[in-house]
Amino acid sequence: MPNLPLLPTMGVGSYASPGWMISAQHQIRNGAFGAGDIAELYDDGIRIAVADQIEAGLDVISDGELRRQRFVFSMFDGLDGLVRMAPQRRLGIPGYDMAPAFIAEAPPTAPKGLGIAQDFAVLKALAPDRPLKVALPGPLTFASAIDAAFGSYDKFAEEIAAAAATKFGSGWAWLVSEGGALKVAKTANAETPITNGQTPLITIDVWEHAYYLDFQNRRPDYVKAFLDHLVNWDFAAENLANA
């Protein structure tokens, strides 16, 4: 197939940080570096990453993600509305369970941006006249909004399951949006959260005819099956975007 064009080569993933950079990052966390020192540190590391890629003959040059260590985890540092949680483990072989976790206390925002344009400008200065790329994670998903309201998906599932299981008689359990916040609600008979100024995102039908043939009077089993297999999260996300 001689007529097919060659595919451009590029590095995928983060560049392996030199030992001196890792040591310096520990000192940064302890407040030993000023802003100028930090900028110089990363510029020097990116120079090495760029030189290695050019020497290897790669067609598209990246900055090695050196300013975005652990990629997604570091991107969260540029967002407001998040609280950094301490890693669950500090001993043993390094792994992702040593990385910090984040809980959203409010809708996340990036008032100062995520630094991608600045990172690209630095890379362009270090590798002029070459095809370049600076990788960026995708947007936060609907699950992040669940974390904001309930702390975790498991806690959300517990709350809406309890609402569904404890609704006496016929009715509904809902995930709703009210004033930009997510809440669990329940209504009786034909009532709807819309009359309370809330936007429905998903609902669990707990009228007996919705589950009796499959689950008889085991409503909690029906609710678990609904949450595990039937929820249309794309539809819920669309409702949230239009709320």
Side-chain angles (χ1 to χ4, degrees), residues 59-117:
D59 299 305
V60 180
I61 305 301
S62 79
D63 62 352
E65 302 173 7
L66 292 183
R67 280 191 168 86
R68 300 180 299 287
Q69 291 292 301
R70 305 298 286 273
F71 202 41
V72 172
F73 302 111
S74 292
M75 299 306 298
F76 283 127
D77 289 338
L79 297 172
D80 287 353
L82 300 181
V83 176
R84 178 185 286 262
M85 309 300 289
Q88 295 297 307
R89 189 170 64 82
R90 297 182 182 274
L91 302 177
I93 299 173
Y96 275 84
D97 54 352
M98 286 186 175
F102 299 86
I103 296 294
E105 288 192 327
T109 59
K112 298 180 181 178
L114 296 175
I116 298 301

Side-chain angles (χ1 to χ4, degrees), residues 132-143:
L132 307 172
K133 74 163 187 174
V134 172
L136 172 68
L140 295 176
T141 61
F142 184 72

